[in-house]
Amino acid sequence: MAIKLELVNLRKEYGALVAVNDMSLKVEEGETMALLGPSGCGKSTTLNMIVGLETPTSGDILIDGQSVSKIPVGRRNVGLVFQDYAVFTHMTVRGNMEYGLKVRKVGQREINQQVEKMASFVGLADKLHRKPAELSASEMQRVAIGRTLVTSPQILLLDEPLSNLESEMRHQMRRELHRIQLETKQTIIYVTHDQIEALSLAHRIAVMNLGVLQQYDTSYNVYHYPRSTFVGSFLGNPPMNFIKGTLKSAGGQRLIEQDGARIPLPSMKELAGVSDGAAVTVGIRAETADIVPLGSPGSFEAELFAIEPQGPEAVVTAKFANTLLKVVVPTSAVPKGSGSIALLPHANLLALFDTQSGVRLMNGAAS
Ligand code: ADP
């Protein structure tokens, strides 16, 4: 697949503040890439540099292999949709949808054809004569997306496009975006602070924090193989469990000890070269541990603390030494009574992090 967008050491400073710190990544044609991170992490600044609203301090942006750094905002063929719709309120839906094509001096017949096709694509064929004030929030967002898509941008940039919508509308719009992805094969950059949105819409996720790209990988890998405790905790609900302890060995078995309580570790190549005594954090996603009979090989014990049934699944909270853990298990597997339970983590999904740096241990070293 061709590379549609490439950021090369992209950097933006505002005085002493580094809003985006030497960010490099590639987005393939037809992919949706989500820029995900907490408020203030540099998502909008990155987006604004791609659009041309902000000038990078250093680094470069390539679209279809060509640097666009010197191309002014209006001349870049990228389409931006903001969370607050960016539609012209004094124009009808048709007026809004025609606008970008008129600016490009497309002939009126062609404009009519394209606008009508796009209006029916975004489900607004019967609303072309309406003014935005007469539309619902999701219809307004569809106008904003339609008027941008109709100009066939090289990249469609969506900045928190669902955050102004009510929950039900947000789900509906998410499905709508899925359809747009599938049918247009448009390359999309999607800015969000909502991990569920990123996981459900993006092929790849760039997780940012404090201007620094923390991890850039497929949505699957970012979720299942977080490279740092930050990424592990930012994605997932309930969030990943973290158990801090000291690495030890007993009878040829490596384990993590916290206040005398122990978690046996499966044999992991990540442990090669990491000495006993190291401060290590175990990461276990809530749905990657099973409740097993006490004494089962590879399991560890914790005290049952709370059970929250949620229909087919239940969130079970248990206390291991000083740490409260949450696991999600089928309701049928919920333990009866109280006292000790045994938890068996899925060996291939258990993560180990260097406690001090929060970086995942990889092949015997933090990387
Ligand atoms: P996000 O979109 O992830 O919420 P932003 O890209 O808006 O984050 O902001 C990143 C950092 O840059 C923040 O600390 C923000 O305060 C700062 N920032 C953004 N725009 C400006 C600006 N025009 N002048 C000074 N600081 C800015």
Side-chain angles (χ1 to χ4, degrees):
M1 227 4 141
I3 300 298
K4 195 74 185 173
L5 172 72
E6 184 170 0
L7 308 182
V8 188
N9 295 322
L10 191 63
R11 184 178 186 87
K12 181 67 183 178
E13 298 171 4
Y14 294 109
L17 178 88
V18 183
V20 177
N21 194 340
D22 295 347
M23 180 147 145
S24 297
L25 55 78
K26 293 176 186 174
V27 181
E28 285 181 13
E29 185 161 13
E31 270 191 346
T32 295
M33 186 274 271
L35 282 170
L36 174 71
S39 178
C41 72
K43 305 181 293 292
S44 300
T45 306
T46 305
L47 197 75
N48 289 339
M49 288 192 282
I50 298 170
V51 180
L53 293 168
E54 290 282 1
T55 310
T57 305
S58 57
D60 206 355
I61 298 160
L62 311 181
I63 297 178
D64 288 327
Q66 302 290 314
S67 171
V68 296
S69 292
K70 303 256 153 38
I71 302 178
V73 56
R75 305 249 304 280
R76 291 190 197 179
N77 187 16
V78 295
L80 174 62
V81 176
F82 298 100
Q83 68 183 72
D84 46 6
Y85 318 126
V87 298
F88 295 129
T89 49
H90 62 285
M91 289 184 189
T92 59
V93 171
R94 182 184 287 278
N96 269 283
M97 291 222 182
E98 283 181 345
Y99 183 82
L101 296 173
K102 281 193 163 155
V103 169
R104 285 167 178 75
K105 310 233 179 315
V106 178
Q108 191 60 46
R109 261 185 65 174
E110 172 82 12
I111 289 181
N112 290 346
Q113 266 179 10
Q114 299 249 12
V115 164
E116 272 147 40
K117 198 166 141 208
M118 183 54 65
S120 82
F121 180 63
V122 295
L124 292 170
D126 57 345
K127 303 264 162 68
L128 277 169
H129 57 288
R130 297 283 180 89
K131 288 272 182 67
E134 303 170 73
L135 303 179
S136 71
S138 93
E139 286 169 339
M140 208 119 84
Q141 191 57 289
R142 281 185 273 148
V143 176
I145 292 173
R147 54 168 274 166
T148 306
L149 271 181
V150 79
T151 63
S152 308
Q154 285 167 292
I155 302 174
L156 177 65
L157 303 149
L158 303 174
D159 193 355
E160 302 268 5
L162 309 186
S163 55
N164 279 353
L165 304 178
E166 303 289 325
S167 162
E168 189 41 44
M169 279 299 167
R170 208 174 309 147
H171 281 107
Q172 191 189 324
M173 216 39 225
R174 216 153 77 188
R175 288 193 291 273
E176 188 72 7
L177 286 172
H178 263 300
R179 187 176 66 89
I180 291 173
Q181 277 175 331
L182 282 174
E183 293 188 19
T184 65
K185 305 275 190 300
Q186 179 72 51
T187 309
I188 300 175
I189 309 297
Y190 190 98
V191 165
T192 182
H193 64 276
D194 182 335
Q195 48 114 10
I196 300 287
E197 254 171 53
L199 286 168
S200 68
L201 281 167
H203 302 101
R204 273 171 216 278
I205 301 180
V207 187
M208 296 180 74
N209 190 31
L210 301 171
V212 178
L213 182 61
Q214 303 287 320
Q215 185 166 359
Y216 181 54
D217 208 333
T218 59
S219 304
Y220 185 91
N221 282 346
V222 167
Y223 182 82
H224 290 282
Y225 304 101
R227 295 284 296 269
S228 64
T229 49
F230 175 81
V231 176
S233 60
F234 199 76
L235 287 96
N237 185 23
M240 194 171 213
N241 295 292
F242 294 111
I243 306 156
K244 290 182 182 171
T246 306
L247 187 63
K248 298 206 166 164
S249 300
Q253 160 87 58
R254 308 215 69 189
L255 52 92
I256 293 287
E257 193 172 280
Q258 186 191 91
D259 276 353
R262 293 173 160 190
I263 298 179
L265 295 175
S267 101
M268 298 170 81
K269 62 181 185 326
E270 292 87 335
L271 284 171
V274 186
S275 309
D276 284 351
V280 170
T281 298
V282 180
I284 304 172
R285 285 231 177 265
E287 68 285 4
T288 67
D290 299 323
I291 298 176
V292 293
L294 286 166
S296 299
S299 70
F300 65 93
E301 285 188 27
E303 289 300 305
L304 196 56
F305 196 78
I307 296 171
E308 299 161 76
Q310 300 182 344
E313 291 174 328
V315 180
V316 174
T317 307
K319 197 166 184 206
F320 169 81
N322 294 318
T323 307
L324 278 184
L325 306 176
K326 282 186 191 295
V327 292
V328 176
V329 295
T331 304
S332 57
V334 166
K336 308 270 181 295
S338 58
S340 292
I341 57 170
L343 293 170
L344 178 64
H346 299 182
N348 56 333
L349 292 173
L350 184 135
L352 296 176
F353 303 93
D354 177 275
T355 298
Q356 212 201 335
S357 65
V359 175
R360 188 168 188 151
L361 298 178
M362 300 271 194
N363 295 318
S367 72

